[in-house]
Amino acid sequence: MKFDADCIFCKIVQKQAPSSIIYEDEQVMAFLDIRPASEGHTLVISKEHYEGILDIPSGLLGRVHQVSKMVAVAAKQALNADGINVIQQNGRAANQEVFHIHVHVIPRHLGQKMKSLQEVQMVDYKQLELIADKLKSFI
């Protein structure tokens, strides 16, 4: 399995960094974003290190998106979301900050303003764990 020792997501996969995991299988992991744009903002990643959509094998990309849908359905139910943003960025010009492929699944409510990158703030892991428990009950 490809692993980048400097990548925070690889460290999360290896359990060398804390995270609030809501789903995990042999290929994919989903965990709450420490800087959420909304309650339940989840990142879905391949466990193997690939920078973006251009280098990940198509089958694995498909699995990442299958899990993204599963997380979106769970978020809609668990958090009574009115909608879901699904975002995947590739490269610095596209505002990718962590160069390990990931999909943002962001629950939304009517009238809710989307926070900019400058507006999002870190959340305490205890708070994330409460949200993770809600989401896990619908996966």
Side-chain angles (χ1 to χ4, degrees):
M1 183 178 293
K2 292 167 72 174
F3 176 77
D4 180 341
D6 296 323
C7 173
I8 186 62
F9 290 173
C10 286
K11 290 177 182 177
I12 288 171
V13 168
Q14 298 290 317
K15 310 293 195 279
Q16 297 171 353
S19 65
S20 297
I21 298 169
I22 64 165
Y23 177 81
E24 182 175 10
D25 63 28
E26 300 80 30
Q27 297 179 302
V28 176
M29 180 183 277
F31 54 90
L32 293 177
D33 194 318
I34 188 70
R35 294 177 40 217
S38 72
E39 181 182 63
H41 180 170
T42 302
L43 302 174
V44 181
I45 68 169
S46 65
K47 287 178 133 180
E48 192 165 359
H49 184 86
Y50 293 98
E51 186 172 305
I53 201 167
L54 301 176
D55 65 335
I56 188 171
S58 295
L60 183 53
L61 177 63
R63 183 67 188 141
V64 168
H65 282 285
Q66 287 173 336
V67 173
S68 296
K69 179 180 179 179
M70 183 175 62
V71 169
V73 169
K76 186 159 177 46
Q77 294 173 330
L79 303 171
N80 297 313
D82 297 312
I84 307 286
N85 283 109
V86 178
I87 303 167
Q88 200 275 310
Q89 300 156 300
N90 294 278
R92 206 171 298 285
N95 293 324
Q96 184 177 6
E97 291 182 332
V98 178
F99 292 90
H100 182 126
I101 190 155
H102 59 286
V103 174
H104 296 261
V105 179
I106 306 170
R108 301 295 303 281
H109 294 90
L110 289 173
Q112 178 185 27
K113 179 184 173 274
M114 181 69 124
K115 293 179 182 177
S116 70
L117 291 175
Q118 295 76 24
E119 293 175 304
V120 294
Q121 296 186 7
M122 288 184 71
V123 177
D124 182 72
Y125 278 106
K126 289 179 186 176
Q127 183 180 354
L128 289 178
E129 285 302 315
L130 295 173
I131 298 164
D133 289 342
K134 283 186 196 178
L135 291 169
K136 284 190 254 188
S137 70
F138 285 90
I139 289 182

